[in-house]
Structures are given as C-alpha cells and as structure tokens.
Amino acid sequence: MSIQAVAAKAGVSVATVSRAFNFPDKVTPATRELVERVARELNYLPNASARTLRTQRSRVLGVVLPTLLNPTFAECLQGIARAAVAGGYAIIPVTTGYQLDEEERAVHLLLAGNVDGLILVVSNPSTSTALPGLRTAGVPYVLAYNRHADHPCVSVDSEGAVADAVTRLVLLGHRRIAMVSGTLAASDRAQQRYRGYLKGMADAGLDAPPLIEVPFVETAVDALSHQLQATRNRPTALICSNDLLAIRSIRAAHLSGLHVPDDLSVVGFDGIALGEDLTPALTTIAQPNSDIGRHSVELLIQAMAGGTTLQADASLLLPHAFRDGESCASAREHEPHAAAS
Amino acid sequence: MSIQAVAAKAGVSVATVSRAFNFPDKVTPATRELVERVARELNYLPNASARTLRTQRSRVLGVVLPTLLNPTFAECLQGIARAAVAGGYAIIPVTTGYQLDEEERAVHLLLAGNVDGLILVVSNPSTSTALPGLRTAGVPYVLAYNRHADHPCVSVDSEGAVADAVTRLVLLGHRRIAMVSGTLAASDRAQQRYRGYLKGMADAGLDAPPLIEVPFVETAVDALSHQLQATRNRPTALICSNDLLAIRSIRAAHLSGLHVPDDLSVVGFDGIALGEDLTPALTTIAQPNSDIGRHSVELLIQAMAGGTTLQADASLLLPHAFRDGESCASAREHEPHAAAS
DNA sequence: CTGTTAGCGCTTTCAA
DNA sequence: TTGAAAGCGCTAACAG
C-alpha cells in the first residue's frame, strides 16, 4: 500500500495525500476526510523508510544497555519506552553484556540504522571507545547511570548515597562493614560506590576491610560463602554494589549458616521493584530507575528539537532514597569473636 | 556520508561501491580494497532506510511482549536478541502491559516501521484483535508462550507441566493444594495452567479448592496473606501460575506467620534465573525462556528465507523441567486441624 | 569486471 | 487549495 494507490483511488495527487496526513489544516476538510476514508479502506500505512530517507529523521532512538537480565535496566528501559512513545519516538534497544567491543558494535549498528539520538549505559565513559566516535558523528546522545564531567549524564550521586548508607550502618552499631562488588574495572558506577564506601568508613573512623570483588556474578554465591566462613573477624554488615549481588549475598549467608539480618545485615543498591517482595525485604539504596530513563529521553528530545547535540552541562543528578527493608538490623550487642577484634 | 561520496573519492561508480559491500566477490580484490579503504576513511555507513526502501526488506524483527518487568520476558527477549543478531536482524521490542488495545497499537507501529516479521506474546490468541490484521497483511509472525491451533506458536505444554507438578506434590503427601493465579481472562497461559491443575487434582482424586485469583499483582501479597490466615483448612501447598506470584506468595506466607516450606510448600512456574538465588531457592516449573525466543526467531527467519508466512503446523512444543528448590517439602505427617479436614 | 540508470515511497519546493 | 516534479541513498537490471 503506497501513497500512490491512495492518491489514485481518492482522485487527488500524492502531495495532497501527504499533506492530509502531515498538515491536516493545509487541505480542505472535505479532501482530508476523503483521503482519510480511502486510506482506511486501503489499509494504508505510511512507509517509515521512505519518510526517513526523505526527511532525514527516523523518529527512532537507540538504546545501549549492559543487559536486561538485571531488572534495574529493564525498569529503566520501561521508563525510556514510555517517554519515547509519549514523544512520538520508537526505540531500538541493544544489549552489550558489559563488553567494550559490543558497545562499539551496538553504536555502529544503531548509527547505520539511522537513529536520531542515543541513550547509553556504558561500562565506563572514560575508557569507552564508542563515545568519541559518537561525538564526531554529531549524533545527540546522553548517558544514563554513568557519571562523567565531559558527557551529558542522567544519574544519581552514588558516592554520596553509599557514604550515607555506611553512616546508617554505623549508627546501628556496625563496625565491621564490608563491601561486595562486581569487577571494579568494568563499571564506573562500581567505582563510585566503592569510593562512597571508603569515604563513609573513613568518616566514621573505621578501617575498611578489603573489597570483596566477585568477578563473575555466577560464582558470587560460592565466593561469598567462602568469605563468610573463612574470615575470623567476619563482617556484621555487607554493602553490596547492586541488588542482584545483595540477593546472592543473602543466599551465601544462608548457606554459611548465618541468618539475615540477625547475624549479618545486607544493604543493596538499585532499588529493583522485586526487592520489596522478597523475604526478607531488601534494604537498599533506591535509584529512580524509570525516571532515569524518562529524563534521558526528555533531555534528548529537547536537544533534538533545538537541532543541537547535548552538552555535559545538561547533566541531571536525580535523587536517590534509602529504602528500609528487613535485611538490615542493629548489630548484636553481643558480638561473636569479640575478643579477637 | 553517502555512497556517492565514496564512489567519487574512490574514482568508481556507485554500483561498484554497492557491490564491494554486498557481493565482495563480484569485484576485483584491488577495487574492493580501494573501496573499503576509502569508505573507512570517510567513515561511511550504508543508509538502512535507503536500502530498506529499495530492497523492501528491513532486516528488522518486531517483538511484542507484555512487559519487561517480568524476568521471564526479559530472558526471552535476550534469547530473541541473540538469535536475531546471529541471523543478521535487528529487533524493535514493544511492551503492551497485557492490554489488548496496546497490542494492536504495537502491531500497527511495527508494521508502519517496515519490520520483516513479528514475534509476539499476546494475552490470548483467541480474543486478540491484532492477529487477524496481521494475517491479512501477510507479514510472517510467530507467537511465543501462547498456544493456539490456528497460529504458529513456540511454547511448552503448560497444562501437562502443572498436572505433573500436582502429582509430585501429592507424592510428597500434600492433599490440600491450592492454585494462585493472576487474572484468568487476561492470559491463555494462566488458563492452560489452571486446567493442568484441575486435571492433576482430579487424577489424584482430590477436591480442588477455589482458584485464588489475584487480579492485580501489586495487591497479591495482601490478598494472599488474607487467604492464608482466614482459611480454616489452609492449603499445605500452593501452585503459582508464575514465579513472581510464587515469590509474593512466599512473602505472604511469611507475613502470615507461616514458614516455607515447613508450613507451606510453594511451586512457581517460569524458571526465572533469579529464582535460584533466592532463599529459599524457588521450586518451579522451568520453561526454556531463552530458547523460546531463539526458536521463534529461527522459525521466522527460516520462513522469510522461503518467502512464505508461517503456518500453525510449524508450531514447536519445547520441553519444560521441574526444577527442584527449597520452597517445597513433604507435607507434615502431623497436620494441623487434621480433625477438621 | 564495471558503469548507467530507473525507481523504491515519501516530502517539499515551486507553480498554477 | 492543489498538483507536478525533484530527489533522499541505495540496489539491481542491463549494457558495455
């Protein structure tokens, strides 16, 4: 079904059909209705490729994210999708599995696909190989979750959030607080969160035990169980770099015969919706995942409307919230191995 | 960057550039390398819209799903994405929130976007308003998770799976087994699973208590807690229509002072990866979510290669597996309220 | 092996 | 208010 067919059947020119759809008030009500009726009869759908080719605008946004298996990004994507539709845009999401080369491949794919703009969550803006190319290509883009002085970003103050969380744990009587993280090198967020942890510990005058880094999420439970059993001065609280890690930490504690939160408090980061349905309900630093997506889209659309590309000073810092759950409690008055500490 | 520019700079015709990219062996190695070098220098990316317009093939697949907030569909989408990339296709996913009108809107959007084929998870194939249009449009499509005699579907035998699960529970000594489901009318899968439950109960010669239908997932925990507290002949086991519901059921049990699995066994359906990390680890009927996505794509690509549309007889029934966890145990020898039963 | 050229479906001047 | 026609970037005959 082409515009030609509609024009022929309606007895008007293709230009008129085009106008009837794109500028309804530039044609007389009579012809407009005629065209609309015929189009409906013929089941006409304007061809997006032809339109894109002609106008040089696709009304499609590319989205690059690490994975959808982490509900954090699924929630964010949901926010992106909703805002995109509201703004008249479609989206093409591509996942990268936290791999640098995949990030670059994804950007290429999307650029070749004529997207008008990009929203991306990269491993690390500083080391990303995809970003420089994007910049020179002149395509508007915005980073979500990442935080970097040279790029437009929509994020939260991870560092401050974790530092605050440490303070809370200290107020609950915890002294031996450890941090659990994925590969530090693979994510600027993990690095920021770790810095926040170190800051919080320093502020409280506490020694920070070595970071518990679990390179592969699949092995997190085993690695953690090992740590929880082996350590003599076992931590009484764990701050986890994300909720998935927190969930696995709770399991690791269980497998080590520790009860959460009585023997071990666990705090997550992300605020995935599922966390509230767990038993114990996850105590976590909640990010507004859906809003991060929404604001990214709105920023992008706004910039595109102005025909410009986004600058770093357009960055947005969204509020986070400490979400109380049941995986976190006061440190026991009576600590085991007290003599050894 | 157009093909013209590359041709000019390389001193060849546009046709040669096109060939160098699409049929490398139809040009001499020398010119091919020349073209490739110039293209790289100019940072040339072929324009997808122009190519689509010309060839009438977009190499894009549309994906329609209820939501990405349920990890089941996120896992499936991951499988779809991987298979699509392997087959040289990009995907555009659209979520519908289980709403009929959204399903129709999504299909329209995708069709206008020139997708070559569609993979969809609809609420109910029988009542779907989007499917008939799709059929007449002649666009290849396949349903995932749904099951229907008139459409090509990739699914598992939900009915048989649930019936088997009931049998297992019976063998564990359970007699009072209830089923928890979302809105039955909203999903053919829920209906199939319920039928399987009824069949399993009948086979065991047991009375099936009324279905516990929780219309809105958000309220599931409250509604369930209420049921678990109010019932005199409280069930000793719950079969849940999906894993999210199972997780909420475990929480509801906890809030009602019941321990899982000692006081109540809970079995889910879906096999989301997260279930294995929970405490207790979720006992569930696992679907091969990623494979469902992969097979859907492969079926579709295969059909498109043959220039045909998929028929109902191409449907695939994939194997499911009962995944043992910790949320399910033998019924207590010594049942409370035994006298009343 | 390479070049010329028509045309995919649409929007957008420019004229009428 | 409407129509004629050019052209977006690419591929695929067809000719050489």
Side-chain angles (χ1 to χ4, degrees), chain A residues 3 18 22 44 47 50-51 54:
Chain A
I3 201 174
S18 176
N22 300 304
Y44 168 69
N47 182 307
R51 180 178 282 174
R54 176 63 230 237

Side-chain angles (χ1 to χ4, degrees), chain B residues 9-10 43 86 122 182 185 220 263 295 339:
Chain B
K9 182 125 188 266
N43 229 296
V122 299
D263 302 318
H295 278 111

Side-chain angles (χ1 to χ4, degrees), chain A residues 221-244:
Chain A
V221 172
D222 289 343
L224 279 164
S225 303
H226 192 259
Q227 291 255 359
L228 290 175
Q229 285 160 357
T231 308
R232 190 104 79 81
N233 284 322
R234 184 191 299 139
T236 63
L238 248 35
I239 296 218
C240 303
S241 200
N242 63 59
D243 282 350
L244 251 26

Side-chain angles (χ1 to χ4, degrees), chain A residues 295-309:
Chain A
H295 278 112
S296 300
V297 170
E298 288 172 357
L299 230 49
L300 211 47
I301 290 184
Q302 190 181 322
M304 293 183 313
T308 70
T309 165

Side-chain angles (χ1 to χ4, degrees), chain B residues 3 18 44 47 51 54:
Chain B
I3 201 174
S18 176
Y44 168 70
N47 183 307
R51 179 177 283 173
R54 175 62 230 239

Side-chain angles (χ1 to χ4, degrees), chain A residues 16 57 71:
Chain A
T16 299
R57 292 172 58 241

Side-chain angles (χ1 to χ4, degrees), chain A residues 131-334:
Chain A
L131 260 26
L134 241 190
R135 206 154 206 176
T136 60
V139 180
Y141 71 92
V142 59
L143 304 184
Y145 294 98
N146 299 292
R147 215 172 153 194
H148 196 282
D150 301 343
H151 299 279
C153 300
V154 176
S155 50
V156 303
D157 176 16
S158 299
E159 189 170 335
V162 175
D164 288 350
V166 171
T167 305
R168 280 176 185 259
L169 288 172
V170 171
L171 287 174
L172 285 174
H174 293 280
R175 294 294 174 268
R176 294 199 302 280
I177 306 169
M179 177 148 203
V180 179
S181 174
T183 316
L184 220 47
S187 154
D188 64 328
R189 280 132 349 212
Q191 290 167 21
Q192 289 155 20
R193 293 168 197 176
Y194 183 48
R195 276 204 299 279
Y197 163 74
L198 291 177
K199 181 174 181 303
M201 292 299 274
D203 287 354
L206 295 174
D207 276 343
L211 177 70
I212 304 178
E213 204 176 354
V214 284
F216 304 103
V217 272
E218 298 81 30
T219 64
V221 172
D222 289 343
L224 279 164
S225 303
H226 192 259
Q227 291 255 359
L228 290 175
Q229 285 160 357
T231 308
R232 190 104 79 81
N233 284 322
R234 184 191 299 139
T236 63
L238 248 35
I239 296 218
C240 303
S241 200
N242 63 59
D243 282 350
L244 251 26
L245 236 27
I247 290 170
R248 293 192 170 102
S249 296
I250 291 174
R251 177 148 190 84
H254 174 73
L255 294 178
S256 303
L258 299 176
H259 186 267
V260 175
D262 299 335
D263 302 319
L264 183 72
S265 283
V266 174
V267 180
F269 195 117
D270 278 345
I272 61 177
L274 195 76
E276 302 188 89
D277 294 323
L278 299 181
T279 314
L282 204 58
T283 297
T284 190
I285 297 162
Q287 306 188 77
N289 295 309
S290 179
D291 280 349
I292 288 177
R294 181 169 59 81
H295 278 112
S296 300
V297 170
E298 288 172 357
L299 230 49
L300 211 47
I301 290 184
Q302 190 181 322
M304 293 183 313
T308 70
T309 165
L310 279 168
Q311 302 305 319
D313 62 5
S315 290
L316 244 42
L317 209 59
L318 265 32
H320 59 267
F322 190 88
R323 186 154 86 203
D324 251 317
E326 303 158 346
S327 64
C328 189
S330 303
R332 282 185 171 170
E333 317 259 304
H334 217 280

